[in-house]
Amino acid sequence: MKRGGFGRAIGIATVAVLALGLVAGGAGANEKGAKADKPARTESKVNINEATRAQLMKLSGVGPGTADRIISYRQAHGPFRRAQDLEKVEGVGKGVLEKNGGRIAVK
């Protein structure tokens, strides 16, 4: 049985679409997989000595209440000397520091 031109054209188009999908999907899959290991929030650094409430909330594990306590703590005790000093703030533990890796800046 002889295959018509239309069927062959659809077959070639299908192969081309699948090939493009694999190339594009392969790159996207790698990027998504790499992002899964990182915090879900924005990746920019946050200077905990100058950050606003909204900026502090960009850190993973820091909500509105924790951000307010961080600001109150630095107003009462002065600037943080190192990122680990955040553990002195009620509600901030090692987990917050670990989740945010090198995203916490102290300037």
Side-chain angles (χ1 to χ4, degrees), residues 27-75:
N30 289 339
E31 290 170 10
K32 288 178 186 174
K35 288 181 183 177
D37 295 337
K38 296 180 182 176
R41 303 203 182 182
T42 310
E43 295 299 321
S44 61
K45 289 198 175 214
V46 176
N47 178 359
I48 57 175
N49 285 324
E50 297 177 358
T52 63
R53 181 181 198 232
Q55 290 168 331
L56 289 167
M57 288 173 52
K58 290 180 181 180
L59 293 170
S60 183
V62 176
T66 304
D68 290 341
R69 287 191 297 275
I70 291 170
I71 292 169
S72 294
Y73 185 90
R74 77 178 181 215
Q75 288 172 343

Side-chain angles (χ1 to χ4, degrees), residues 4 13-14 25 32 40 45 48 51 73 80 88 91 94 96-97 102-103:
T14 302
K32 288 178 186 174
K45 289 198 175 214
I48 57 175
Y73 185 90
F80 294 99
K88 297 176 183 177
K94 289 184 182 187
V96 171
L97 295 173
R103 294 191 53 232

